[in-house]
Amino acid sequence: MSARPALFPTGLTILKALVVARWLAWLWMAGILLFSDPDTTVRHPVVGWLAVGAALAVTVTATVLLRRNPERLLHAPFVIADLSLAIGLSVVDGYVFEPGHVFETTQSIATQWPLIAMATVGVAYGPIVAGFSGLLIGPAEWAGAELNGFDDWSRPEVVSIVATSLFFAACGVVFGWLARLLKRVEGEIADRRARDEVGRVMHDTVLQTLALVERRVATSDPELATAARQADQDLRAFLFGSAGRDVADLETRVRAEVERVRTGHDTPVTVSVLDDGCRLPDRHQELVARAIGEAVANSLEHAVANRIVVYVETDDDGHVFASIDDDGMGFDPATPRSTHGIDESMLARIDAIGGRVEISSNIGSGTEVCIWTRPS
């Protein structure tokens, strides 16, 4: 086993589910022995109940560790014990019952323990280790068949043993892959939240200070003003732009465009992007981001707002909805506009990709611009 893995939030939820699954599996295997006929079905009942006791010990240990120190459920001693129990039950099953038990429809005392073990190994050590662990279940069942006195090996039985190994190996790989994926996604979400939090703090302190310095010394010390402007742009790019990202996705484009138009303004702008899989072409994503930036720029220039909130999400089909809401002075949408900036930029961009824009505003009540890339 490799180094001790760290527990992530969703991993804790999975461990809780596995503890419940262990109790259910234990009750099932105990019921199998309890209601089996000791004279005609069970050959070695003492060994069977010892196996039940071993399963109970692992289950109780898992329950206690979950309450006191959940991370230990992912450490090598418990993971090895859980995997050993699954392999052991697969072997002992053939020894406990009378000959003819294996390769029949009768219930096995191993029940779902191998599947639980694959999930544990997958969460703890990833898909590769879990996959190789799953391969051990087939040989264990072969050993159980030998202990059960089975000697009529033919192609169906061999295929069954091989299929068992491949099935549990595949389960281990899937469990491990999903655990890795969830851990990575949670890490990215945590990183984005931390970056946003730092960004809010920096905006209220350092970025505003840099903007103030740039304005105050623009004429008296141009070099200092240029340095302040460059530092402001670099810091904004790191906090809100595409730093650390390999792919220019929808969120990166939106945040970068908002920060571009926001430069030089003190009004706080909150950006939330829920991108569950935008399917728009890159060009269309750029047009959406620019339209959002134009709406933010319009609020910054004309709304006299105390805050601007940008919310962007994708639907199940990969289309985009965006809302740009401010608490500024608002306007009457029915009144003819003196300029064509909104029509020529934001509305034209969205219309070019077959989308639509709705503007809701009342004098004194702020303005909300809603953008859909899907036609009505």
Side-chain angles (χ1 to χ4, degrees):
M1 296 289 181
S2 56
R4 290 179 176 179
L7 181 61
F8 55 104
T10 304
L12 179 60
T13 302
I14 295 174
L15 293 181
K16 290 179 180 178
L18 289 177
V19 167
V20 174
R22 287 186 184 92
W23 279 110
L24 293 176
W26 178 82
L27 289 172
W28 185 261
M29 69 182 295
I32 290 173
L33 278 180
L34 186 63
F35 294 104
S36 295
D37 188 343
D39 297 325
T40 61
T41 305
V42 181
R43 180 171 46 162
H44 297 102
V46 174
V47 176
W49 285 110
L50 286 175
V52 171
L56 178 62
V58 171
T59 302
V60 171
T61 301
T63 305
V64 173
L65 290 178
L66 182 67
R67 287 175 169 269
R68 297 182 179 179
N69 191 355
E71 281 196 3
R72 292 183 60 185
L73 290 172
L74 300 181
H75 293 172
F78 181 82
V79 174
I80 292 174
D82 204 33
L83 180 60
S84 299
L85 175 65
I87 294 173
L89 290 176
S90 299
V91 174
V92 168
D93 178 68
Y95 183 73
V96 169
F97 292 96
E98 293 288 348
H101 169 73
V102 298
F103 300 116
E104 299 293 336
T105 57
T106 53
Q107 295 291 334
S108 167
I109 61 171
T111 62
Q112 300 304 317
W113 286 102
L115 199 60
I116 295 171
M118 294 311 104
T120 302
V121 177
V123 173
Y125 293 102
I128 296 178
V129 176
F132 279 111
S133 299
L135 293 175
L136 300 175
I137 303 301
E141 293 201 352
W142 170 82
E146 290 291 328
L147 291 175
N148 194 244
F150 185 84
D151 57 4
D152 186 20
W153 291 97
S154 58
R155 179 177 295 178
E157 287 75 25
V158 173
V159 170
S160 176
I161 293 297
V162 173
T164 297
S165 287
L166 294 178
F167 171 75
F168 285 108
C171 290
V173 170
V174 171
F175 283 130
W177 174 75
L178 287 175
R180 289 278 177 88
L181 179 63
L182 289 171
K183 186 175 182 180
R184 179 178 61 80
V185 170
E186 286 188 352
E188 292 177 355
I189 293 174
D191 178 72
R192 172 54 59 187
R193 287 177 177 173
R195 188 183 292 272
D196 288 346
E197 181 63 28
V198 171
R200 284 191 290 269
V201 174
M202 296 292 279
H203 179 269
D204 293 338
T205 56
V206 178
L207 293 178
Q208 290 189 358
T209 301
L210 289 172
L212 180 62
V213 169
E214 180 186 351
R215 288 195 296 267
R216 292 286 180 87
V217 301
T219 56
S220 60
D221 193 340
E223 291 185 3
L224 179 59
T226 301
R229 186 184 309 111
Q230 186 62 49
D232 178 272
Q233 293 174 351
D234 292 344
L235 189 55
R236 287 180 185 273
F238 174 75
L239 292 173
F240 308 108
S242 58
R245 292 174 178 247
D246 297 327
V247 179
D249 57 9
L250 177 65
E251 180 176 0
T252 301
R253 291 185 171 100
V254 169
R255 290 184 180 276
E257 193 65 26
V258 169
E259 287 309 309
R260 183 185 67 81
V261 302
R262 174 182 179 179
T263 302
H265 296 274
D266 296 332
T267 304
V269 181
T270 301
V271 180
S272 299
V273 181
L274 301 178
D275 184 3
D276 293 328
C278 180
R279 300 178 186 174
L280 297 179
D282 289 348
R283 176 58 180 166
H284 289 189
Q285 292 187 37
E286 291 175 1
L287 291 175
V288 171
R290 290 178 185 176
I292 293 172
E294 182 62 32
V296 173
N298 193 66
S299 294
L300 291 170
E301 292 291 338
H302 306 294
V304 194
N306 294 316
R307 59 107 183 107
I308 301 172
V309 177
V310 177
Y311 175 77
V312 184
E313 68 174 4
T314 55
D315 61 20
D316 294 338
D317 295 326
H319 282 277
V320 177
F321 165 75
S323 168
I324 302 90
D325 183 62
D326 68 58
D327 62 351
M329 59 184 183
F331 66 95
D332 183 359
T335 302
R337 293 185 288 272
S338 59
T339 66
H340 299 283
I342 293 180
D343 296 316
E344 294 177 352
S345 56
M346 179 177 60
L347 299 180
R349 287 189 176 106
I350 299 304
D351 184 66
I353 62 175
R356 58 192 174 95
V357 177
E358 291 184 4
I359 302 175
S360 303
S361 183
N362 287 301
I363 296 176
S365 300
T367 301
E368 182 180 16
V369 177
C370 294
I371 298 172
W372 291 267
T373 60
R374 181 195 299 275
S376 58

